[in-house]
mmCIF file of all heavy atoms in Angstrom:
data_model
loop_
_atom_site.group_PDB
_atom_site.id
_atom_site.type_symbol
_atom_site.label_atom_id
_atom_site.label_comp_id
_atom_site.label_asym_id
_atom_site.label_seq_id
_atom_site.Cartn_x
_atom_site.Cartn_y
_atom_site.Cartn_z
ATOM 1 N N MET A 1 32.868 -41.920 -28.900
ATOM 2 C CA MET A 1 32.408 -41.921 -27.530
ATOM 3 C C MET A 1 33.126 -40.807 -26.770
ATOM 4 O O MET A 1 34.340 -40.695 -26.798
ATOM 5 C CB MET A 1 32.713 -43.282 -26.891
ATOM 6 C CG MET A 1 32.109 -43.459 -25.550
ATOM 7 S SD MET A 1 31.938 -45.219 -25.259
ATOM 8 C CE MET A 1 32.209 -45.288 -23.550
ATOM 9 N N ALA A 2 32.383 -39.970 -26.089
ATOM 10 C CA ALA A 2 32.951 -38.853 -25.339
ATOM 11 C C ALA A 2 33.724 -39.380 -24.130
ATOM 12 O O ALA A 2 33.384 -40.427 -23.568
ATOM 13 C CB ALA A 2 31.834 -37.920 -24.885
ATOM 14 N N PRO A 3 34.785 -38.665 -23.693
ATOM 15 C CA PRO A 3 35.596 -39.163 -22.574
ATOM 16 C C PRO A 3 34.835 -39.252 -21.249
ATOM 17 O O PRO A 3 35.144 -40.093 -20.423
ATOM 18 C CB PRO A 3 36.743 -38.177 -22.479
ATOM 19 C CG PRO A 3 36.349 -36.995 -23.273
ATOM 20 C CD PRO A 3 35.293 -37.430 -24.243
ATOM 21 N N ASN A 4 33.843 -38.393 -21.011
ATOM 22 C CA ASN A 4 33.126 -38.408 -19.740
ATOM 23 C C ASN A 4 31.801 -39.156 -19.813
ATOM 24 O O ASN A 4 31.080 -39.216 -18.832
ATOM 25 C CB ASN A 4 32.858 -36.976 -19.267
ATOM 26 C CG ASN A 4 34.133 -36.282 -18.859
ATOM 27 O OD1 ASN A 4 35.108 -36.935 -18.513
ATOM 28 N ND2 ASN A 4 34.139 -34.987 -18.915
ATOM 29 N N LYS A 5 31.472 -39.701 -20.970
ATOM 30 C CA LYS A 5 30.206 -40.419 -21.126
ATOM 31 C C LYS A 5 30.361 -41.831 -20.557
ATOM 32 O O LYS A 5 31.269 -42.553 -20.937
ATOM 33 C CB LYS A 5 29.839 -40.477 -22.604
ATOM 34 C CG LYS A 5 28.489 -41.080 -22.882
ATOM 35 C CD LYS A 5 28.214 -40.960 -24.377
ATOM 36 C CE LYS A 5 26.900 -41.428 -24.837
ATOM 37 N NZ LYS A 5 26.160 -42.401 -24.206
ATOM 38 N N PRO A 6 29.520 -42.223 -19.601
ATOM 39 C CA PRO A 6 29.641 -43.567 -19.031
ATOM 40 C C PRO A 6 29.297 -44.642 -20.066
ATOM 41 O O PRO A 6 28.435 -44.452 -20.909
ATOM 42 C CB PRO A 6 28.636 -43.566 -17.887
ATOM 43 C CG PRO A 6 27.679 -42.482 -18.208
ATOM 44 C CD PRO A 6 28.421 -41.468 -19.022
ATOM 45 N N PHE A 7 30.000 -45.777 -19.987
ATOM 46 C CA PHE A 7 29.766 -46.832 -20.968
ATOM 47 C C PHE A 7 28.743 -47.853 -20.491
ATOM 48 O O PHE A 7 28.346 -48.719 -21.255
ATOM 49 C CB PHE A 7 31.073 -47.522 -21.367
ATOM 50 C CG PHE A 7 31.822 -48.146 -20.225
ATOM 51 C CD1 PHE A 7 31.577 -49.454 -19.851
ATOM 52 C CD2 PHE A 7 32.768 -47.423 -19.536
ATOM 53 C CE1 PHE A 7 32.271 -50.024 -18.801
ATOM 54 C CE2 PHE A 7 33.456 -47.994 -18.487
ATOM 55 C CZ PHE A 7 33.204 -49.283 -18.122
ATOM 56 N N ASN A 8 28.316 -47.775 -19.225
ATOM 57 C CA ASN A 8 27.222 -48.629 -18.756
ATOM 58 C C ASN A 8 26.544 -47.984 -17.539
ATOM 59 O O ASN A 8 26.963 -46.935 -17.065
ATOM 60 C CB ASN A 8 27.720 -50.058 -18.445
ATOM 61 C CG ASN A 8 28.741 -50.088 -17.341
ATOM 62 O OD1 ASN A 8 28.819 -49.172 -16.531
ATOM 63 N ND2 ASN A 8 29.535 -51.145 -17.312
ATOM 64 N N ASP A 9 25.485 -48.623 -17.049
ATOM 65 C CA ASP A 9 24.708 -48.046 -15.945
ATOM 66 C C ASP A 9 25.489 -47.973 -14.636
ATOM 67 O O ASP A 9 25.269 -47.067 -13.831
ATOM 68 C CB ASP A 9 23.432 -48.864 -15.717
ATOM 69 C CG ASP A 9 22.449 -48.720 -16.865
ATOM 70 O OD1 ASP A 9 22.522 -47.693 -17.564
ATOM 71 O OD2 ASP A 9 21.625 -49.626 -17.058
ATOM 72 N N VAL A 10 26.397 -48.907 -14.428
ATOM 73 C CA VAL A 10 27.168 -48.911 -13.183
ATOM 74 C C VAL A 10 28.064 -47.680 -13.117
ATOM 75 O O VAL A 10 28.141 -46.995 -12.097
ATOM 76 C CB VAL A 10 27.992 -50.210 -13.066
ATOM 77 C CG1 VAL A 10 28.885 -50.176 -11.857
ATOM 78 C CG2 VAL A 10 27.077 -51.415 -13.021
ATOM 79 N N MET A 11 28.742 -47.384 -14.214
ATOM 80 C CA MET A 11 29.628 -46.220 -14.230
ATOM 81 C C MET A 11 28.820 -44.926 -14.119
ATOM 82 O O MET A 11 29.246 -43.974 -13.470
ATOM 83 C CB MET A 11 30.470 -46.218 -15.514
ATOM 84 C CG MET A 11 31.450 -47.370 -15.588
ATOM 85 S SD MET A 11 32.519 -47.520 -14.144
ATOM 86 C CE MET A 11 33.492 -46.050 -14.292
ATOM 87 N N GLU A 12 27.648 -44.885 -14.731
ATOM 88 C CA GLU A 12 26.792 -43.706 -14.619
ATOM 89 C C GLU A 12 26.359 -43.511 -13.165
ATOM 90 O O GLU A 12 26.345 -42.391 -12.656
ATOM 91 C CB GLU A 12 25.568 -43.851 -15.520
ATOM 92 C CG GLU A 12 24.688 -42.632 -15.520
ATOM 93 C CD GLU A 12 23.511 -42.778 -16.458
ATOM 94 O OE1 GLU A 12 23.256 -43.884 -16.958
ATOM 95 O OE2 GLU A 12 22.830 -41.763 -16.670
ATOM 96 N N HIS A 13 26.038 -44.601 -12.472
ATOM 97 C CA HIS A 13 25.660 -44.523 -11.059
ATOM 98 C C HIS A 13 26.826 -43.993 -10.231
ATOM 99 O O HIS A 13 26.659 -43.117 -9.376
ATOM 100 C CB HIS A 13 25.237 -45.907 -10.557
ATOM 101 C CG HIS A 13 24.977 -45.946 -9.078
ATOM 102 N ND1 HIS A 13 23.842 -45.414 -8.514
ATOM 103 C CD2 HIS A 13 25.721 -46.424 -8.051
ATOM 104 C CE1 HIS A 13 23.895 -45.578 -7.196
ATOM 105 N NE2 HIS A 13 25.026 -46.191 -6.901
ATOM 106 N N LYS A 14 28.031 -44.494 -10.473
ATOM 107 C CA LYS A 14 29.197 -44.040 -9.715
ATOM 108 C C LYS A 14 29.449 -42.550 -9.943
ATOM 109 O O LYS A 14 29.800 -41.827 -9.023
ATOM 110 C CB LYS A 14 30.432 -44.860 -10.078
ATOM 111 C CG LYS A 14 30.401 -46.259 -9.487
ATOM 112 C CD LYS A 14 31.693 -46.988 -9.715
ATOM 113 C CE LYS A 14 32.756 -46.660 -8.725
ATOM 114 N NZ LYS A 14 32.446 -46.822 -7.338
ATOM 115 N N GLN A 15 29.284 -42.097 -11.190
ATOM 116 C CA GLN A 15 29.533 -40.683 -11.482
ATOM 117 C C GLN A 15 28.461 -39.787 -10.889
ATOM 118 O O GLN A 15 28.769 -38.731 -10.333
ATOM 119 C CB GLN A 15 29.607 -40.469 -13.002
ATOM 120 C CG GLN A 15 30.867 -41.013 -13.614
ATOM 121 C CD GLN A 15 30.883 -40.870 -15.128
ATOM 122 O OE1 GLN A 15 29.938 -40.377 -15.722
ATOM 123 N NE2 GLN A 15 31.959 -41.321 -15.741
ATOM 124 N N ASN A 16 27.207 -40.180 -10.982
ATOM 125 C CA ASN A 16 26.114 -39.307 -10.551
ATOM 126 C C ASN A 16 25.799 -39.423 -9.065
ATOM 127 O O ASN A 16 25.624 -38.412 -8.395
ATOM 128 C CB ASN A 16 24.844 -39.617 -11.353
ATOM 129 C CG ASN A 16 25.007 -39.264 -12.812
ATOM 130 O OD1 ASN A 16 25.823 -38.430 -13.155
ATOM 131 N ND2 ASN A 16 24.241 -39.906 -13.660
ATOM 132 N N ILE A 17 25.721 -40.629 -8.540
ATOM 133 C CA ILE A 17 25.264 -40.836 -7.162
ATOM 134 C C ILE A 17 26.434 -40.828 -6.183
ATOM 135 O O ILE A 17 26.424 -40.121 -5.179
ATOM 136 C CB ILE A 17 24.475 -42.160 -7.039
ATOM 137 C CG1 ILE A 17 23.333 -42.213 -8.051
ATOM 138 C CG2 ILE A 17 23.966 -42.357 -5.624
ATOM 139 C CD1 ILE A 17 22.326 -41.101 -7.934
ATOM 140 N N GLU A 18 27.467 -41.628 -6.465
ATOM 141 C CA GLU A 18 28.577 -41.752 -5.519
ATOM 142 C C GLU A 18 29.625 -40.668 -5.690
ATOM 143 O O GLU A 18 30.490 -40.501 -4.847
ATOM 144 C CB GLU A 18 29.224 -43.129 -5.683
ATOM 145 C CG GLU A 18 28.284 -44.264 -5.314
ATOM 146 C CD GLU A 18 28.943 -45.619 -5.429
ATOM 147 O OE1 GLU A 18 30.176 -45.675 -5.599
ATOM 148 O OE2 GLU A 18 28.220 -46.620 -5.353
ATOM 149 N N GLY A 19 29.591 -39.971 -6.803
ATOM 150 C CA GLY A 19 30.525 -38.866 -7.005
ATOM 151 C C GLY A 19 31.900 -39.294 -7.449
ATOM 152 O O GLY A 19 32.894 -38.692 -7.056
ATOM 153 N N ALA A 20 31.986 -40.324 -8.261
ATOM 154 C CA ALA A 20 33.285 -40.742 -8.785
ATOM 155 C C ALA A 20 33.830 -39.644 -9.688
ATOM 156 O O ALA A 20 33.077 -39.024 -10.437
ATOM 157 C CB ALA A 20 33.140 -42.048 -9.557
ATOM 158 N N PRO A 21 35.116 -39.361 -9.628
ATOM 159 C CA PRO A 21 35.675 -38.296 -10.470
ATOM 160 C C PRO A 21 35.584 -38.657 -11.948
ATOM 161 O O PRO A 21 35.729 -39.817 -12.316
ATOM 162 C CB PRO A 21 37.127 -38.193 -10.012
ATOM 163 C CG PRO A 21 37.423 -39.486 -9.357
ATOM 164 C CD PRO A 21 36.124 -39.992 -8.797
ATOM 165 N N THR A 22 35.363 -37.653 -12.752
ATOM 166 C CA THR A 22 35.247 -37.882 -14.195
ATOM 167 C C THR A 22 36.514 -37.477 -14.931
ATOM 168 O O THR A 22 36.589 -37.627 -16.133
ATOM 169 C CB THR A 22 34.065 -37.074 -14.772
ATOM 170 O OG1 THR A 22 34.264 -35.706 -14.469
ATOM 171 C CG2 THR A 22 32.755 -37.559 -14.186
ATOM 172 N N HIS A 23 37.511 -36.938 -14.226
ATOM 173 C CA HIS A 23 38.758 -36.547 -14.865
ATOM 174 C C HIS A 23 39.929 -37.023 -14.023
ATOM 175 O O HIS A 23 39.776 -37.467 -12.906
ATOM 176 C CB HIS A 23 38.796 -35.037 -15.067
ATOM 177 C CG HIS A 23 38.782 -34.267 -13.786
ATOM 178 N ND1 HIS A 23 37.765 -34.328 -12.877
ATOM 179 C CD2 HIS A 23 39.684 -33.421 -13.261
ATOM 180 C CE1 HIS A 23 38.041 -33.554 -11.845
ATOM 181 N NE2 HIS A 23 39.192 -32.995 -12.055
ATOM 182 N N LYS A 24 41.110 -36.910 -14.549
ATOM 183 C CA LYS A 24 42.317 -37.431 -13.910
ATOM 184 C C LYS A 24 43.027 -36.354 -13.090
ATOM 185 O O LYS A 24 44.085 -35.895 -13.464
ATOM 186 C CB LYS A 24 43.272 -37.936 -14.972
ATOM 187 C CG LYS A 24 42.711 -39.038 -15.796
ATOM 188 C CD LYS A 24 43.475 -40.270 -15.539
ATOM 189 C CE LYS A 24 42.965 -41.346 -16.470
ATOM 190 N NZ LYS A 24 43.227 -42.635 -16.047
ATOM 191 N N GLY A 25 42.469 -35.932 -12.004
ATOM 192 C CA GLY A 25 43.149 -35.026 -11.083
ATOM 193 C C GLY A 25 43.508 -33.691 -11.686
ATOM 194 O O GLY A 25 43.138 -33.364 -12.807
ATOM 195 N N GLY A 26 44.252 -32.902 -10.935
ATOM 196 C CA GLY A 26 44.637 -31.584 -11.405
ATOM 197 C C GLY A 26 46.053 -31.245 -11.008
ATOM 198 O O GLY A 26 46.873 -32.129 -10.776
ATOM 199 N N ARG A 27 46.313 -29.955 -10.927
ATOM 200 C CA ARG A 27 47.645 -29.490 -10.565
ATOM 201 C C ARG A 27 47.704 -29.172 -9.080
ATOM 202 O O ARG A 27 46.696 -28.874 -8.460
ATOM 203 C CB ARG A 27 47.976 -28.252 -11.377
ATOM 204 C CG ARG A 27 47.998 -28.537 -12.870
ATOM 205 C CD ARG A 27 48.099 -27.274 -13.686
ATOM 206 N NE ARG A 27 49.197 -26.441 -13.212
ATOM 207 C CZ ARG A 27 49.400 -25.203 -13.611
ATOM 208 N NH1 ARG A 27 48.579 -24.654 -14.451
ATOM 209 N NH2 ARG A 27 50.411 -24.509 -13.149
ATOM 210 N N LEU A 28 48.916 -29.202 -8.543
ATOM 211 C CA LEU A 28 49.101 -28.851 -7.137
ATOM 212 C C LEU A 28 49.031 -27.339 -6.965
ATOM 213 O O LEU A 28 49.407 -26.595 -7.873
ATOM 214 C CB LEU A 28 50.478 -29.331 -6.659
ATOM 215 C CG LEU A 28 50.650 -30.826 -6.480
ATOM 216 C CD1 LEU A 28 52.097 -31.127 -6.146
ATOM 217 C CD2 LEU A 28 49.757 -31.334 -5.382
ATOM 218 N N PRO A 29 48.579 -26.874 -5.809
ATOM 219 C CA PRO A 29 48.594 -25.430 -5.544
ATOM 220 C C PRO A 29 50.029 -24.894 -5.503
ATOM 221 O O PRO A 29 50.970 -25.629 -5.181
ATOM 222 C CB PRO A 29 47.943 -25.307 -4.171
ATOM 223 C CG PRO A 29 47.268 -26.594 -3.920
ATOM 224 C CD PRO A 29 47.950 -27.625 -4.750
ATOM 225 N N LEU A 30 50.186 -23.622 -5.822
ATOM 226 C CA LEU A 30 51.513 -23.012 -5.912
ATOM 227 C C LEU A 30 52.331 -23.130 -4.626
ATOM 228 O O LEU A 30 53.522 -23.465 -4.701
ATOM 229 C CB LEU A 30 51.381 -21.545 -6.338
ATOM 230 C CG LEU A 30 52.693 -20.807 -6.554
ATOM 231 C CD1 LEU A 30 53.497 -21.462 -7.677
ATOM 232 C CD2 LEU A 30 52.426 -19.351 -6.874
ATOM 233 N N PRO A 31 51.772 -22.880 -3.413
ATOM 234 C CA PRO A 31 52.616 -23.006 -2.214
ATOM 235 C C PRO A 31 53.187 -24.414 -2.020
ATOM 236 O O PRO A 31 54.336 -24.569 -1.611
ATOM 237 C CB PRO A 31 51.675 -22.643 -1.069
ATOM 238 C CG PRO A 31 50.612 -21.817 -1.682
ATOM 239 C CD PRO A 31 50.454 -22.334 -3.082
ATOM 240 N N ILE A 32 52.413 -25.429 -2.343
ATOM 241 C CA ILE A 32 52.912 -26.801 -2.200
ATOM 242 C C ILE A 32 54.003 -27.074 -3.227
ATOM 243 O O ILE A 32 55.001 -27.742 -2.939
ATOM 244 C CB ILE A 32 51.748 -27.808 -2.319
ATOM 245 C CG1 ILE A 32 50.785 -27.605 -1.150
ATOM 246 C CG2 ILE A 32 52.257 -29.243 -2.368
ATOM 247 C CD1 ILE A 32 49.564 -28.476 -1.196
ATOM 248 N N LYS A 33 53.854 -26.531 -4.435
ATOM 249 C CA LYS A 33 54.891 -26.685 -5.456
ATOM 250 C C LYS A 33 56.189 -26.036 -5.004
ATOM 251 O O LYS A 33 57.267 -26.617 -5.144
ATOM 252 C CB LYS A 33 54.445 -26.017 -6.759
ATOM 253 C CG LYS A 33 53.635 -26.857 -7.653
ATOM 254 C CD LYS A 33 53.653 -26.180 -9.012
ATOM 255 C CE LYS A 33 52.374 -26.328 -9.729
ATOM 256 N NZ LYS A 33 52.359 -25.651 -11.001
ATOM 257 N N ILE A 34 56.090 -24.826 -4.443
ATOM 258 C CA ILE A 34 57.298 -24.106 -4.012
ATOM 259 C C ILE A 34 57.995 -24.870 -2.897
ATOM 260 O O ILE A 34 59.227 -25.007 -2.894
ATOM 261 C CB ILE A 34 56.931 -22.670 -3.579
ATOM 262 C CG1 ILE A 34 56.485 -21.875 -4.797
ATOM 263 C CG2 ILE A 34 58.092 -21.988 -2.884
ATOM 264 C CD1 ILE A 34 55.939 -20.502 -4.480
ATOM 265 N N ILE A 35 57.225 -25.395 -1.931
ATOM 266 C CA ILE A 35 57.822 -26.194 -0.850
ATOM 267 C C ILE A 35 58.521 -27.420 -1.431
ATOM 268 O O ILE A 35 59.634 -27.770 -1.031
ATOM 269 C CB ILE A 35 56.738 -26.590 0.180
ATOM 270 C CG1 ILE A 35 56.276 -25.362 0.953
ATOM 271 C CG2 ILE A 35 57.268 -27.656 1.138
ATOM 272 C CD1 ILE A 35 55.055 -25.601 1.816
ATOM 273 N N GLY A 36 57.901 -28.060 -2.393
ATOM 274 C CA GLY A 36 58.517 -29.230 -3.034
ATOM 275 C C GLY A 36 59.804 -28.876 -3.747
ATOM 276 O O GLY A 36 60.789 -29.607 -3.680
ATOM 277 N N TYR A 37 59.806 -27.741 -4.457
ATOM 278 C CA TYR A 37 61.023 -27.318 -5.147
ATOM 279 C C TYR A 37 62.154 -27.087 -4.149
ATOM 280 O O TYR A 37 63.298 -27.488 -4.381
ATOM 281 C CB TYR A 37 60.784 -26.033 -5.945
ATOM 282 C CG TYR A 37 59.881 -26.205 -7.154
ATOM 283 C CD1 TYR A 37 59.060 -25.173 -7.572
ATOM 284 C CD2 TYR A 37 59.858 -27.392 -7.873
ATOM 285 C CE1 TYR A 37 58.241 -25.310 -8.676
ATOM 286 C CE2 TYR A 37 59.037 -27.538 -8.969
ATOM 287 C CZ TYR A 37 58.238 -26.493 -9.374
ATOM 288 O OH TYR A 37 57.436 -26.634 -10.461
ATOM 289 N N PHE A 38 61.844 -26.421 -3.012
ATOM 290 C CA PHE A 38 62.885 -26.177 -2.013
ATOM 291 C C PHE A 38 63.378 -27.480 -1.392
ATOM 292 O O PHE A 38 64.588 -27.665 -1.205
ATOM 293 C CB PHE A 38 62.375 -25.233 -0.921
ATOM 294 C CG PHE A 38 62.497 -23.789 -1.279
ATOM 295 C CD1 PHE A 38 61.366 -23.019 -1.499
ATOM 296 C CD2 PHE A 38 63.743 -23.199 -1.401
ATOM 297 C CE1 PHE A 38 61.473 -21.683 -1.833
ATOM 298 C CE2 PHE A 38 63.865 -21.860 -1.738
ATOM 299 C CZ PHE A 38 62.719 -21.100 -1.962
ATOM 300 N N LEU A 39 62.473 -28.393 -1.061
ATOM 301 C CA LEU A 39 62.886 -29.646 -0.432
ATOM 302 C C LEU A 39 63.757 -30.488 -1.363
ATOM 303 O O LEU A 39 64.849 -30.919 -0.993
ATOM 304 C CB LEU A 39 61.656 -30.449 0.002
ATOM 305 C CG LEU A 39 60.918 -29.942 1.238
ATOM 306 C CD1 LEU A 39 59.670 -30.772 1.476
ATOM 307 C CD2 LEU A 39 61.816 -30.000 2.449
ATOM 308 N N PHE A 40 63.260 -30.737 -2.576
ATOM 309 C CA PHE A 40 64.015 -31.587 -3.497
ATOM 310 C C PHE A 40 65.268 -30.885 -4.001
ATOM 311 O O PHE A 40 66.321 -31.512 -4.154
ATOM 312 C CB PHE A 40 63.137 -32.042 -4.656
ATOM 313 C CG PHE A 40 62.124 -33.073 -4.236
ATOM 314 C CD1 PHE A 40 60.784 -32.755 -4.163
ATOM 315 C CD2 PHE A 40 62.527 -34.350 -3.887
ATOM 316 C CE1 PHE A 40 59.853 -33.695 -3.764
ATOM 317 C CE2 PHE A 40 61.609 -35.299 -3.489
ATOM 318 C CZ PHE A 40 60.270 -34.973 -3.425
ATOM 319 N N GLY A 41 65.164 -29.588 -4.249
ATOM 320 C CA GLY A 41 66.347 -28.843 -4.660
ATOM 321 C C GLY A 41 67.412 -28.842 -3.570
ATOM 322 O O GLY A 41 68.600 -28.994 -3.852
ATOM 323 N N GLY A 42 66.985 -28.692 -2.315
ATOM 324 C CA GLY A 42 67.932 -28.716 -1.202
ATOM 325 C C GLY A 42 68.594 -30.070 -1.046
ATOM 326 O O GLY A 42 69.800 -30.163 -0.777
ATOM 327 N N MET A 43 67.813 -31.147 -1.229
ATOM 328 C CA MET A 43 68.404 -32.488 -1.128
ATOM 329 C C MET A 43 69.428 -32.723 -2.232
ATOM 330 O O MET A 43 70.506 -33.278 -1.985
ATOM 331 C CB MET A 43 67.311 -33.563 -1.187
ATOM 332 C CG MET A 43 66.519 -33.693 0.091
ATOM 333 S SD MET A 43 65.440 -35.123 0.103
ATOM 334 C CE MET A 43 64.065 -34.521 -0.856
ATOM 335 N N ILE A 44 69.117 -32.290 -3.437
ATOM 336 C CA ILE A 44 70.054 -32.467 -4.554
ATOM 337 C C ILE A 44 71.307 -31.637 -4.317
ATOM 338 O O ILE A 44 72.434 -32.115 -4.509
ATOM 339 C CB ILE A 44 69.369 -32.098 -5.878
ATOM 340 C CG1 ILE A 44 68.307 -33.142 -6.211
ATOM 341 C CG2 ILE A 44 70.375 -31.977 -7.005
ATOM 342 C CD1 ILE A 44 67.401 -32.775 -7.356
ATOM 343 N N LEU A 45 71.119 -30.395 -3.862
ATOM 344 C CA LEU A 45 72.262 -29.524 -3.584
ATOM 345 C C LEU A 45 73.146 -30.092 -2.475
ATOM 346 O O LEU A 45 74.381 -30.083 -2.586
ATOM 347 C CB LEU A 45 71.749 -28.136 -3.206
ATOM 348 C CG LEU A 45 72.725 -26.985 -3.297
ATOM 349 C CD1 LEU A 45 73.220 -26.822 -4.720
ATOM 350 C CD2 LEU A 45 72.046 -25.709 -2.832
ATOM 351 N N MET A 46 72.532 -30.619 -1.413
ATOM 352 C CA MET A 46 73.321 -31.224 -0.334
ATOM 353 C C MET A 46 74.063 -32.468 -0.818
ATOM 354 O O MET A 46 75.190 -32.727 -0.403
ATOM 355 C CB MET A 46 72.421 -31.568 0.853
ATOM 356 C CG MET A 46 72.058 -30.367 1.683
ATOM 357 S SD MET A 46 71.293 -30.772 3.258
ATOM 358 C CE MET A 46 69.736 -31.447 2.729
ATOM 359 N N GLY A 47 73.445 -33.242 -1.690
ATOM 360 C CA GLY A 47 74.124 -34.417 -2.235
ATOM 361 C C GLY A 47 75.335 -34.030 -3.062
ATOM 362 O O GLY A 47 76.406 -34.637 -2.944
ATOM 363 N N ILE A 48 75.185 -32.995 -3.889
ATOM 364 C CA ILE A 48 76.318 -32.534 -4.695
ATOM 365 C C ILE A 48 77.416 -31.978 -3.792
ATOM 366 O O ILE A 48 78.605 -32.269 -3.999
ATOM 367 C CB ILE A 48 75.847 -31.477 -5.713
ATOM 368 C CG1 ILE A 48 74.959 -32.131 -6.758
ATOM 369 C CG2 ILE A 48 77.027 -30.779 -6.371
ATOM 370 C CD1 ILE A 48 74.256 -31.156 -7.677
ATOM 371 N N MET A 49 77.028 -31.190 -2.772
ATOM 372 C CA MET A 49 78.024 -30.643 -1.850
ATOM 373 C C MET A 49 78.728 -31.754 -1.070
ATOM 374 O O MET A 49 79.930 -31.663 -0.797
ATOM 375 C CB MET A 49 77.370 -29.647 -0.895
ATOM 376 C CG MET A 49 77.004 -28.356 -1.583
ATOM 377 S SD MET A 49 76.030 -27.152 -0.649
ATOM 378 C CE MET A 49 76.407 -27.425 1.021
ATOM 379 N N ALA A 50 78.008 -32.811 -0.716
ATOM 380 C CA ALA A 50 78.626 -33.926 0.006
ATOM 381 C C ALA A 50 79.647 -34.640 -0.882
ATOM 382 O O ALA A 50 80.721 -35.028 -0.411
ATOM 383 C CB ALA A 50 77.552 -34.901 0.472
ATOM 384 N N MET A 51 79.332 -34.815 -2.169
ATOM 385 C CA MET A 51 80.294 -35.463 -3.073
ATOM 386 C C MET A 51 81.541 -34.607 -3.241
ATOM 387 O O MET A 51 82.665 -35.124 -3.229
ATOM 388 C CB MET A 51 79.647 -35.723 -4.432
ATOM 389 C CG MET A 51 78.684 -36.888 -4.413
ATOM 390 S SD MET A 51 78.138 -37.342 -6.048
ATOM 391 C CE MET A 51 76.686 -36.303 -6.202
ATOM 392 N N VAL A 52 81.372 -33.289 -3.376
ATOM 393 C CA VAL A 52 82.516 -32.386 -3.512
ATOM 394 C C VAL A 52 83.352 -32.397 -2.231
ATOM 395 O O VAL A 52 84.583 -32.483 -2.272
ATOM 396 C CB VAL A 52 82.037 -30.959 -3.858
ATOM 397 C CG1 VAL A 52 83.183 -29.953 -3.758
ATOM 398 C CG2 VAL A 52 81.422 -30.935 -5.247
ATOM 399 N N ALA A 53 82.692 -32.349 -1.071
ATOM 400 C CA ALA A 53 83.411 -32.356 0.208
ATOM 401 C C ALA A 53 84.142 -33.683 0.411
ATOM 402 O O ALA A 53 85.217 -33.710 1.015
ATOM 403 C CB ALA A 53 82.442 -32.122 1.353
ATOM 404 N N ASN A 54 83.594 -34.772 -0.106
ATOM 405 C CA ASN A 54 84.245 -36.072 0.015
ATOM 406 C C ASN A 54 85.564 -36.095 -0.753
ATOM 407 O O ASN A 54 86.534 -36.710 -0.305
ATOM 408 C CB ASN A 54 83.304 -37.165 -0.490
ATOM 409 C CG ASN A 54 83.802 -38.540 -0.169
ATOM 410 O OD1 ASN A 54 84.559 -38.727 0.767
ATOM 411 N ND2 ASN A 54 83.397 -39.516 -0.973
ATOM 412 N N PHE A 55 85.608 -35.421 -1.886
ATOM 413 C CA PHE A 55 86.847 -35.395 -2.668
ATOM 414 C C PHE A 55 87.862 -34.430 -2.061
ATOM 415 O O PHE A 55 89.057 -34.662 -2.130
ATOM 416 C CB PHE A 55 86.571 -34.979 -4.116
ATOM 417 C CG PHE A 55 85.888 -36.040 -4.916
ATOM 418 C CD1 PHE A 55 84.666 -35.808 -5.509
ATOM 419 C CD2 PHE A 55 86.462 -37.300 -5.073
ATOM 420 C CE1 PHE A 55 84.018 -36.782 -6.245
ATOM 421 C CE2 PHE A 55 85.836 -38.290 -5.814
ATOM 422 C CZ PHE A 55 84.614 -38.029 -6.392
ATOM 423 N N ILE A 56 87.399 -33.358 -1.435
ATOM 424 C CA ILE A 56 88.306 -32.355 -0.875
ATOM 425 C C ILE A 56 88.931 -32.845 0.418
ATOM 426 O O ILE A 56 90.129 -32.714 0.648
ATOM 427 C CB ILE A 56 87.566 -31.004 -0.652
ATOM 428 C CG1 ILE A 56 87.200 -30.397 -2.003
ATOM 429 C CG2 ILE A 56 88.423 -30.047 0.149
ATOM 430 C CD1 ILE A 56 86.349 -29.141 -1.895
ATOM 431 N N PHE A 57 88.115 -33.403 1.327
ATOM 432 C CA PHE A 57 88.627 -33.780 2.645
ATOM 433 C C PHE A 57 88.964 -35.212 2.651
ATOM 434 O O PHE A 57 88.848 -36.163 2.770
ATOM 435 C CB PHE A 57 87.610 -33.446 3.745
ATOM 436 C CG PHE A 57 87.321 -31.975 3.823
ATOM 437 C CD1 PHE A 57 86.070 -31.466 3.476
ATOM 438 C CD2 PHE A 57 88.302 -31.086 4.227
ATOM 439 C CE1 PHE A 57 85.805 -30.118 3.551
ATOM 440 C CE2 PHE A 57 88.042 -29.732 4.298
ATOM 441 C CZ PHE A 57 86.795 -29.250 3.957
#
């Protein structure tokens, strides 16, 4: 059975008429990925710096 082939009439109706997606999403656009890298990377870096500063001061 093919992955996009509907197994009954209800699923075929959802795919053809209502526009149900036939695949599992995609990748994020590059600008959103870069923003995410900066945000999460900055949070991790600040956490590490806070732990180091806690031991120093």
Side-chain angles (χ1 to χ4, degrees):
M1 188 156 146
N4 291 336
K5 185 175 183 333
F7 59 89
N8 62 22
D9 291 336
V10 175
M11 294 307 293
E12 184 178 11
H13 174 75
K14 286 187 83 55
Q15 287 176 359
N16 294 336
I17 306 301
E18 296 182 11
T22 57
H23 64 299
K24 299 246 185 202
R27 298 171 51 190
L28 288 174
L30 184 62
I32 295 177
K33 274 196 215 178
I34 292 173
I35 290 170
Y37 291 148
F38 276 112
L39 286 176
F40 287 109
M43 285 190 280
I44 290 170
L45 199 61
M46 283 192 292
I48 292 171
M49 288 172 27
M51 285 189 270
V52 170
N54 190 25
F55 287 121
I56 292 174
F57 298 112

